[in-house]
Amino acid sequence: MIITSAKYTKAHDSEGSLTGDNLGIVIVLNGVTSHVPLDPANTHYAEIMRQVNAGTLTIQEAD
Amino acid sequence: MALSKIQSNSYEDTAVHGQRNLIINGAMQVWQRGTMVDTASSGSYLCDRWRIGHGGTDGNVDIDRSTDVPSGKGFAYSQKISMDASETSLDANDNLALRQRIEAQNLQHLAKGTSDALRVTASFWVKSSVASTYTLEIKDHDNTRNISASYTINATNTWEYKTLTFAGDTSGVLNNDNGTGFEFIFWLDAGTAFTSGTFSTAWQAQTESERVHSTTGWLESTSPEFYITGVQLEVGDTATTFEHRSFGDELARCQRYYCRSYNIGTDIGTNTLDGSVTTRQGGTPSTNNVAFNVDFPVTMRAAPTITLYAKDGTSGKVSDFGTSYSGDGTDRAVSAVNAIGMRGFGGGNFTGVSENDIVVFHYEASSEL
């Protein structure tokens, strides 16, 4: 599974600023942009965390 | 009337024995993602629930929905796997397999890991351009155990019916959860990394070199083709007639793992509004927040990965029509999708939308194992 980028996402408040906890992770997988929930039963999330733990992927903070 | 007169003991009686196939989409009826792909990546899906896995192959793996089926057995489609180039020489780790993962909570009745563990029997129709001895494996993901069985395709390019019975496993209880319990693996070919050991025909801790009977020669052959349909896995030591299900029933089972807004038969990336989600930005314009709610057709296995598509088929975008709702609209980037759960998702943040803009998108949701 080739994940070329990963970044946390957050909700935006009424002023347009990021707020609250991370909602999920936006990834680019095989050139397609997808949104992954923070659910260990989700196989994409599990793979992201496997790659993070292996030091081969870094999740960027939400911006 | 004696009870024996109204109860059937016949395994041919599918009304009595319905719901017995543990495999989903065994008749290759449902193809939500499309009906052909050239260069299928390892770990990807085309025919619903069927995952292709390969490593080290020189050529590209192609998958097609085929109408080449065993005659008179009631199947409309088979799954065809082929290669666009032969293997120059089979390396140790080269492999190609067709797989289906089964939820552990759907296997509890097998009593695996107890003294009462039940046998299961697999049956299927298969046709290959290479006559050889092939392997079907059941892998227990929770306990990293496996059992394999071999079958021989006797004649090239001829449909053959195969049945294989696997012993119950008295070790390794399956978790009662929504994770992978069994993985059901049709090995088309494999190198010595999978074949060099003693073939594992009894349940055991998985040893990589003992999983596959032998190299089949399929990957090294010229223009290899492999067709399969009518796959069934059931409790017991007898293969019964295939449990034909309605398309709607099979589709709903598949949608627990993958669904999308596009019509069946419409490829991802098609420029269409049919089936799309339409909403309107009604909040403070500067926030780009858009409220909407999407309900999945069935409850999914787990919170799925969501991919949004603009009307023109661009992934990671939605279409912003302003207030006119004509043309293709303007693509807007999706910076967040909110509240993703097993039943649906709701709300998102789309960069650049303005107050009262009409926003349209398609989605696909995947919670495959």
Side-chain angles (χ1 to χ4, degrees):
Chain A
M1 191 178 290
I2 302 171
I3 299 170
T4 48
S5 75
K7 184 170 68 175
Y8 284 112
T9 60
K10 288 189 174 195
H12 295 68
D13 64 17
S14 59
E15 302 299 320
S17 300
L18 296 173
T19 184
D21 296 331
N22 291 324
L23 285 176
I25 302 169
V26 58
I27 63 170
V28 177
L29 171 63
N30 298 329
V32 175
T33 302
S34 299
H35 293 260
V36 179
L38 306 178
D39 180 355
N42 178 293
T43 49
H44 290 120
Y45 180 73
E47 174 63 16
I48 290 167
M49 298 317 295
R50 187 192 69 76
Q51 293 189 23
V52 168
N53 292 333
T56 57
L57 180 68
T58 301
I59 307 173
Q60 307 298 319
E61 291 302 319
D63 57 17
Chain B
M1 181 180 294
L3 194 59
S4 61
K5 299 297 183 186
I6 58 174
Q7 287 184 325
S8 171
N9 291 323
S10 171
Y11 282 107
E12 301 299 319
D13 190 340
T14 54
V16 172
H17 296 282
Q19 309 295 318
R20 66 190 186 284
N21 193 356
L22 297 171
I23 296 295
I24 297 173
N25 204 23
M28 315 298 171
Q29 287 174 281
V30 182
W31 298 68
Q32 291 187 85
R33 297 170 178 85
T35 56
M36 62 85 67
V37 64
D38 293 331
T39 315
S41 57
S42 186
S44 67
Y45 294 79
L46 184 66
C47 183
D48 275 63
R49 299 297 297 124
W50 291 100
R51 181 174 188 261
I52 196 77
H54 58 79
T57 54
D58 290 342
N60 295 317
V61 180
D62 302 335
I63 302 175
D64 292 271
R65 185 177 73 180
S66 173
T67 55
D68 187 337
V69 293
S71 178
K73 301 303 176 186
F75 301 108
Y77 299 116
S78 64
Q79 182 167 186
K80 174 188 174 186
I81 301 168
S82 59
M83 302 289 296
D84 67 359
S86 301
E87 203 70 11
T88 307
S89 66
L90 195 69
D91 297 325
N93 288 302
D94 289 355
N95 68 91
L96 174 60
L98 183 64
R99 303 156 176 258
Q100 182 165 138
R101 292 177 171 177
I102 305 173
E103 272 182 75
Q105 61 191 356
N106 291 343
L107 298 168
Q108 296 301 304
H109 60 300
L110 300 183
K112 189 176 181 299
T114 76
S115 58
D116 296 318
L118 298 176
R119 286 175 290 185
V120 292
T121 294
S123 55
F124 52 94
W125 285 91
V126 65
K127 170 178 165 176
S128 175
S129 58
V130 176
S132 188
T133 300
Y134 291 78
T135 297
L136 176 59
E137 177 190 18
I138 298 177
K139 176 178 176 177
D140 163 5
H141 272 250
D142 283 333
N143 302 287
T144 320
R145 294 172 61 79
N146 81 310
I147 185 172
S148 295
S150 64
Y151 62 96
T152 300
I153 293 181
N154 299 296
T156 59
N157 301 317
T158 304
W159 281 105
E160 297 179 13
Y161 180 66
K162 306 297 177 186
T163 69
L164 298 165
T165 295
F166 296 85
D169 187 9
T170 57
S171 298
V173 173
L174 294 173
N175 300 333
N176 185 24
D177 64 12
N178 61 353
T180 302
F182 281 174
E183 185 166 13
F184 192 66
I185 307 171
F186 288 96
W187 290 91
L188 277 66
D189 207 351
T192 54
F194 305 93
T195 63
S196 60
T198 302
F199 188 47
S200 56
T201 56
W203 281 102
Q204 63 175 30
Q206 181 184 301
T207 300
E208 203 73 344
S209 64
E210 300 177 358
R211 298 175 67 184
V212 178
H213 179 275
S214 55
T215 293
T216 63
W218 194 89
L219 280 170
E220 294 172 286
S221 68
T222 303
S223 303
E225 295 181 345
F226 185 92
Y227 297 78
I228 191 164
T229 193
V231 183
Q232 183 153 284
L233 180 66
E234 59 195 306
V235 173
D237 56 8
T238 303
T240 65
T241 52
F242 185 80
E243 179 183 276
H244 289 281
R245 299 173 181 145
S246 71
F247 181 84
D249 184 1
E250 205 73 81
L251 174 62
R253 291 169 192 257
C254 294
Q255 286 175 328
R256 178 167 171 78
Y257 305 91
Y258 176 87
C259 66
R260 60 184 201 154
S261 57
Y262 293 95
N263 284 338
I264 300 292
T266 301
D267 289 339
I268 291 284
T270 301
N271 190 332
T272 180
L273 288 172
D274 294 350
S276 61
V277 177
T278 300
T279 185
R280 191 160 205 167
Q281 206 280 354
T284 308
S286 62
T287 69
N288 301 318
N289 286 332
V290 177
F292 60 85
N293 191 63
V294 172
D295 293 327
F296 299 135
V298 302
T299 301
M300 300 194 76
R301 179 191 66 83
T305 298
I306 300 291
T307 306
L308 300 188
Y309 295 87
K311 175 179 177 287
D312 64 7
T314 306
S315 73
K317 307 278 188 179
V318 298
S319 296
D320 180 352
F321 284 85
T323 56
S324 65
Y325 204 25
S326 62
D328 281 343
T330 302
D331 286 359
R332 304 293 191 193
V334 179
S335 56
V337 174
N338 302 344
I340 301 172
M342 298 162 78
R343 303 286 299 271
F345 60 100
N349 189 273
F350 309 141
T351 306
V353 296
S354 300
E355 189 171 14
N356 292 323
D357 281 359
I358 297 168
V359 175
V360 174
F361 60 86
H362 280 281
Y363 75 87
E364 61 178 348
S366 175
S367 63
E368 293 285 1
L369 286 160

